[in-house]
Each structure stands twice: as C-alpha cells, then as structure tokens.
Amino acid sequence: MAVGGFAVNDEPVNGFNGKITASVVVTCIVAASSGLIFGYDIGISGGVTTMAPFLKKFFPSVLRKASGAKTNMYCVYDSQVLTAFTSSLYIAGLAASLVASRVSAALGRRNTMVLGGCTFLAGAAINGGAANISMLILGRILLGFGVGFTNQATPVYLSEVAPPKWRGAFNTGFQFFIGIGVVSANCINFGTAKHTWGWRLSLGLAIVPAAIMTMGALLISDTPTSLVERGKLEQARKSLIKVRGSETDVDAELAELIKYSEVGKAAQAEPFVTIFERQYRPHLVMSIAIPFFQQVTGINVIAFYAPVLFQSVGFGNDSALIAAIILGLVNLGSILVSTGVVDRYGRRFLFIVGGTQMFICQVAVACVLASTTGVSGTKHISKENAILVLVLMCIYAAGFGWSWGPLSWLIPSEIFPMKIRPTGQSISVAVNFATTFGLSQTFLTMLCHFKYGTFLFYAGWIVMMTIFIVLFLPETKGIPLDSMYTVWKRHWYWRRFV
C-alpha cells in the first residue's frame, strides 16, 4: 500500500541505523553550535535592559520610573518601546523562517546556516555601535534574520545526519548550545554592567558566537539528503561515507535517499500546498502545536527578562544578574540529562515529567509572590523569599531543560517526509517566533497588570500542553526518518488521516 508516495508497512523501510563515528560527532557539534547565536541573544537582551547607561541613552523614562520610591514593583519596566527592542528580533525571525525552507532547499542546510551567521554578524556590529533607537532596532532585525535561517536549517541538519538510534541525543545539542549562549551572555552582562560602555560590549560581542558558528559551518559538508535533493549524488555519496565511517551499505542507503527524493519530485506539488493535504494533518498539527506550547511555558520571556524579573522581586542589580547566571547554568545541566535519557526513555516520558515539574513550580512562584508582595505589588519581598523564588525558578528551568527545550526542536525536525521536511521545519520555526514575539511584546505589561497571576497564566498552558502530549503525540524514538509514517498509522487518533 502507498500513502503519499511512501510504502506503508509495520517494519522500517531500511536498516540503515548507522553508528556513532568521530565524523558524525564532530559534524553534529559544529552544526549544533548554530544555537550559540540564538542563546546569546536571549541572554544578552534582558541584562542590557537593566543597565543604567543603556536605559539613560535609549529609554530614560524607564530609568526615571525605576528610581521612583513607591513604584509598583511589577510595573517598573513596562515600556512598549523597551519591549520592542527585545521583540523586534522575533518578528524578523518570523519573516526569515517563512522563506528559509526555499533557501534551504535551493542552497542546502549548511549554506543556510552560513547565511544566517553572516546576517547575525552584521546585526551584532550595528547594535554594538548603535547611536539611536533606529540603529538599535535595525540591528535587532538583522539578528532576527540570522536566527530565523539557522533555527530552520540546524535541527533538520542534525536529524538527517545523526544515526536514528541516537537522533534525540544529537539533536539536543542544538538546545545545549542555546543554553551555552544564554549563560555566556549572562556572565558577560555581569562583567560589563558597571561600565558606561558595558552595554555596547555586551551587544557587540555577539559577533564572537556568530563568527564561531559561521566558520564552523564552512568546514562541514551538507547532509546527504540535501545533496541528493539538489542532484549532487557524488557529493552525497562522499558525505554518507564520511558520516557512516565506512563504505558498507552506503550505496544501498544512497539508493533509498534517491528513491524518496524522486518520489517527492514526481508529485510536482508546491510543498506549502502538499503539507496541508489530509494525510499530513498530524505532521502539520505537531509543527504548529509543539513550538507554540514551548513558548507558552513562559521560558523564553523569563530568560529574556530574568535580570528584570529578579530585580522586580527584590534582588539588587548584581544579585539579579548572578541569579540569571544560576538559572542558565541549571538549564544547561538539565539539557545534558535530556541528552543521556531521551533515546532510552523516549520523548513522551520527558515531555510529561517536565510538564508536571514546570506546572508545580509556576504555581509555587505565584503563591510566594502573592503572599509576600500583596495584590498591589508594593510590599517589599524579603531576601529569603526572593531566594525561594530563585530556587523554584531553577527547578522550573530544569524541567524545561530536559523536556520542552530540546524536544521542541527535535520533534518537528524528525516527523516530516523528505519532500516537505524543510517546509515543515519552516512552519515550526515561524510559529515559534510568532509566539515568542507576542509573548515578549506583552510580558512586561502582563507582569504589570496580572502581577503574580502571570505565572498562573503560564501554569494553565502547561496543563493543556501536557494533556495534549498524553493524547496526541506518538513515540518517535529510534524510528528511521523515512519510516516515521508508521507511528501515525498505529496511533489511535491520527491513523484515520494516514
């Protein structure tokens, strides 16, 4: 039987599970380093927006509000222009991700990463030398284009190169490098916060991770799948030999890739049209729901505004930056836990455990803030309770780090058939950026008006997404990419579509 050009049976289409070779490890590490630029930006923006020289130059009204003696602690940083500084990157990333699938199909995964790195470099240089808000926003837009391209290409690259048995572990590398970027940025903010030019150094140093990942991407080959799609069969064969570590079964695996590529081309359908066909309904739903739910955990707005948030709940400036560093380190360590267990216990298990953990912590944070700061938010929170908030946020970050963090990049990159894989990943990244833009643009206003209820808002979403996983996400661990359709035809709900 055939479904959309793919043979359907209960056994994997091929046995090309592959081994972990030195080449696979090095190649995936280099590719995953693309996450550095996204993580650096997430970490740097929140710290910079607490620096007095930065606020004095670009947002003096926020600085005046922060110095007010009786200001509602939740409303200090409520400024639409300030949030536009953070969120402009994500609307640019959204625009870039919508065209990234075509760029990736035409130029390849690796070259798309290089393009993203170069664009990010330009944005970092403009931000470091910004003389006015217009330059600041322009730089952020270029950064957005950079992460839009790299976030589309990198997870797909990792899923296509990694052996199926270990695909989850290798793909978590992207989130791990995002975590490294966040921690590095928070450390740099801590070191530069006391200098009048510190914000320029913090923003300008984004060229370092951009240069690292760009040069690294130039040294690796494209994925065999991408090379086959573009008709570069000999290069595809060499790439397969390199990542598999030997020539055994390479020709047979290459023949499989060619077959699936030809099936996709024979359909002669626009990928953005094909993906809306009934048989791809489960894929489309996951590519929208998973990144949307990842963002409504609240993790990225908390990461953006961690220093702001910790200042709001009673930490001093230095303490707030240190707290943000601690939060980032906990998240980084938890990603390593995910790397070790994702291919053993599966995706569903981690999603459910992580969701439960995050829900408990969000509710607990809301309770602590409600009991200590009052409904008005004008009561001063004690040092002990501020530390308790930090501990709860660290446990929350750990839950995210071994579940929704890495898995939200992994699932969309592994569930699509070859012919619509770049398109599916583009939709996933676009939803991610669109949701991030909306949340980052509204978070500080929400914090001002909802106060501690902001954390209950995110807790409610976490309940919904955990239930969604229990009911609708099939287990995908260890399944070869070209055999992924089998998980849908076995599922109690999705089999009616596939």
Coordinates of all heavy atoms in Angstrom, one line a residue, residues 45-46 48-50 54-55 58-59 61-63 76-88 133 136-137 140 305 308 440-441 444:
S45 N 19.9 40.3 25.9 CA 18.9 41.5 25.9 C 18.4 41.8 27.2 O 18.2 43.0 27.6 CB 17.8 41.1 24.9 OG 17.2 39.9 25.2
G46 N 18.0 40.8 28.1 CA 17.5 41.1 29.4 C 18.4 41.8 30.3 O 18.0 42.8 31.0
V48 N 21.1 43.7 29.4 CA 21.4 45.0 28.9 C 20.2 46.0 29.3 O 20.5 47.2 29.6 CB 21.5 45.0 27.3 CG1 21.5 46.4 26.7 CG2 22.9 44.3 27.0
T49 N 19.0 45.5 29.3 CA 17.9 46.4 29.6 C 17.8 46.8 31.1 O 16.9 47.6 31.4 CB 16.5 45.8 29.1 OG1 16.4 44.5 29.7 CG2 16.5 45.7 27.6
T50 N 18.7 46.2 31.9 CA 18.7 46.7 33.3 C 19.9 47.6 33.5 O 20.1 48.1 34.6 CB 18.9 45.5 34.3 OG1 20.1 44.8 34.0 CG2 17.7 44.5 34.1
F54 N 22.5 52.2 29.5 CA 21.7 51.8 28.3 C 20.4 52.5 28.4 O 19.9 53.1 27.4 CB 21.6 50.3 28.2 CG 20.7 49.8 27.1 CD1 21.2 49.7 25.8 CD2 19.4 49.5 27.3 CE1 20.4 49.2 24.8 CE2 18.6 49.0 26.3 CZ 19.1 48.9 25.0
L55 N 19.7 52.4 29.6 CA 18.4 53.0 29.7 C 18.5 54.5 29.6 O 17.6 55.2 29.1 CB 17.8 52.6 31.1 CG 17.5 51.1 31.3 CD1 17.1 50.8 32.7 CD2 16.4 50.7 30.3
F58 N 18.8 55.3 25.8 CA 17.7 55.0 24.9 C 16.3 55.0 25.5 O 15.3 55.3 24.8 CB 17.9 53.6 24.3 CG 19.2 53.4 23.5 CD1 20.3 52.8 24.0 CD2 19.2 54.0 22.2 CE1 21.4 52.6 23.2 CE2 20.4 53.9 21.5 CZ 21.5 53.2 21.9
F59 N 16.2 54.7 26.8 CA 14.9 54.6 27.5 C 14.9 55.4 28.8 O 14.7 54.8 29.9 CB 14.5 53.2 27.7 CG 14.6 52.3 26.5 CD1 15.7 51.5 26.3 CD2 13.6 52.3 25.5 CE1 15.9 50.7 25.1 CE2 13.7 51.6 24.4 CZ 14.9 50.8 24.2
S61 N 12.8 57.2 30.3 CA 11.5 57.2 31.1 C 11.5 56.0 32.0 O 11.0 56.0 33.1 CB 10.3 57.2 30.2 OG 10.3 56.0 29.3
V62 N 12.0 54.8 31.5 CA 12.1 53.6 32.3 C 13.0 53.8 33.5 O 12.8 53.4 34.6 CB 12.6 52.4 31.4 CG1 12.8 51.2 32.3 CG2 11.6 52.2 30.3
L63 N 14.1 54.5 33.3 CA 15.1 54.8 34.3 C 14.5 55.6 35.4 O 14.7 55.4 36.6 CB 16.4 55.4 33.8 CG 17.6 55.5 34.7 CD1 18.0 54.1 35.1 CD2 18.7 56.3 34.0
V76 N 7.7 48.4 36.9 CA 8.9 49.3 36.6 C 9.3 49.3 35.2 O 9.6 50.3 34.6 CB 10.1 48.8 37.5 CG1 11.4 49.5 37.1 CG2 9.8 49.0 39.0
Y77 N 9.4 48.1 34.5 CA 9.9 48.0 33.2 C 8.8 47.9 32.1 O 9.1 47.5 31.0 CB 10.8 46.8 33.1 CG 12.1 47.0 34.0 CD1 12.1 46.4 35.2 CD2 13.2 47.7 33.5 CE1 13.2 46.6 36.0 CE2 14.3 47.8 34.3 CZ 14.3 47.3 35.6 OH 15.4 47.4 36.4
D78 N 7.6 48.4 32.4 CA 6.5 48.3 31.5 C 6.6 49.4 30.5 O 6.2 50.6 30.7 CB 5.2 48.4 32.2 CG 4.0 48.3 31.3 OD1 4.2 47.8 30.1 OD2 2.9 48.7 31.7
S79 N 7.3 49.2 29.4 CA 7.5 50.2 28.3 C 7.4 49.4 27.0 O 8.2 48.5 26.7 CB 8.9 50.8 28.4 OG 9.3 51.5 27.3
Q80 N 6.5 49.9 26.1 CA 6.3 49.2 24.8 C 7.6 49.4 23.9 O 7.9 48.5 23.1 CB 5.1 49.8 24.1 CG 3.8 49.3 24.7 CD 3.7 47.8 24.7 OE1 3.8 47.1 23.6 NE2 3.5 47.2 25.8
V81 N 8.2 50.6 24.0 CA 9.5 50.8 23.2 C 10.6 49.8 23.7 O 11.3 49.3 22.9 CB 9.9 52.2 23.3 CG1 11.2 52.4 22.4 CG2 8.8 53.2 22.9
L82 N 10.7 49.6 25.0 CA 11.7 48.7 25.6 C 11.4 47.3 25.1 O 12.3 46.6 24.7 CB 11.7 48.8 27.1 CG 12.7 47.9 27.8 CD1 14.1 48.3 27.4 CD2 12.6 48.1 29.3
T83 N 10.2 46.9 25.2 CA 9.8 45.5 24.7 C 10.0 45.4 23.2 O 10.3 44.3 22.7 CB 8.4 45.1 25.1 OG1 7.5 46.1 24.7 CG2 8.3 44.9 26.6
A84 N 9.8 46.5 22.5 CA 10.1 46.4 21.0 C 11.5 46.1 20.7 O 11.8 45.5 19.7 CB 9.6 47.7 20.4
F85 N 12.4 46.6 21.6 CA 13.8 46.3 21.4 C 14.1 44.8 21.5 O 14.8 44.2 20.7 CB 14.6 47.0 22.5 CG 16.0 46.5 22.8 CD1 17.0 46.7 21.8 CD2 16.3 45.7 23.9 CE1 18.3 46.2 22.0 CE2 17.6 45.1 24.1 CZ 18.6 45.4 23.1
T86 N 13.4 44.1 22.4 CA 13.6 42.7 22.5 C 12.8 41.9 21.5 O 13.4 41.1 20.8 CB 13.1 42.2 23.9 OG1 13.9 42.8 24.9 CG2 13.2 40.7 24.1
S87 N 11.6 42.3 21.2 CA 10.7 41.5 20.4 C 10.9 41.8 18.9 O 10.5 40.9 18.1 CB 9.3 41.7 20.8 OG 8.9 43.1 20.6
S88 N 11.5 42.9 18.5 CA 11.7 43.1 17.1 C 12.5 42.0 16.4 O 12.3 41.7 15.2 CB 12.4 44.5 16.8 OG 13.7 44.5 17.5
I133 N 17.8 54.8 18.7 CA 16.9 53.6 18.8 C 16.7 53.0 17.4 O 16.6 51.7 17.3 CB 15.5 54.0 19.4 CG1 15.7 54.3 20.8 CG2 14.5 52.9 19.2 CD1 14.4 54.8 21.6
L136 N 19.4 50.6 16.8 CA 19.3 49.5 17.7 C 18.3 48.5 17.2 O 18.5 47.3 17.1 CB 18.8 50.1 19.1 CG 19.1 49.3 20.3 CD1 20.6 49.2 20.5 CD2 18.5 50.0 21.5
I137 N 17.1 49.0 16.7 CA 16.1 48.1 16.1 C 16.5 47.5 14.8 O 16.3 46.3 14.6 CB 14.8 48.9 15.9 CG1 14.3 49.5 17.3 CG2 13.7 48.0 15.3 CD1 14.0 48.5 18.3
R140 N 18.7 44.6 15.6 CA 17.9 43.5 16.1 C 17.2 42.8 15.0 O 17.1 41.6 15.0 CB 16.8 44.0 17.1 CG 17.4 44.6 18.4 CD 18.0 43.6 19.3 NE 16.9 42.8 19.9 CZ 17.2 41.7 20.6 NH1 18.4 41.4 20.9 NH2 16.2 41.0 21.1
Y305 N 13.9 38.2 30.3 CA 13.8 39.2 31.3 C 14.2 38.8 32.7 O 13.8 39.3 33.7 CB 12.3 39.7 31.4 CG 11.8 40.3 30.1 CD1 10.8 39.7 29.3 CD2 12.3 41.4 29.5 CE1 10.3 40.2 28.2 CE2 11.9 42.0 28.3 CZ 10.9 41.4 27.7 OH 10.4 41.9 26.5
V308 N 15.6 41.4 34.8 CA 14.5 42.4 35.1 C 13.5 41.7 36.2 O 13.1 42.4 37.1 CB 13.7 42.7 33.8 CG1 12.4 43.5 34.2 CG2 14.6 43.5 32.9
S440 N 6.9 38.2 24.2 CA 7.9 39.1 24.6 C 7.4 40.5 24.6 O 7.8 41.4 25.4 CB 9.2 38.9 23.8 OG 8.9 39.2 22.4
Q441 N 6.5 40.8 23.6 CA 5.9 42.2 23.5 C 4.9 42.5 24.6 O 4.7 43.6 24.9 CB 5.3 42.3 22.1 CG 4.9 43.8 21.8 CD 6.0 44.7 21.6 OE1 7.1 44.3 21.2 NE2 5.8 46.0 22.0
L444 N 6.0 42.3 29.9 CA 6.2 43.3 30.9 C 4.9 44.0 31.2 O 4.6 44.3 32.4 CB 7.2 44.3 30.5 CG 8.7 43.7 30.3 CD1 9.6 44.8 29.8 CD2 9.1 43.1 31.7

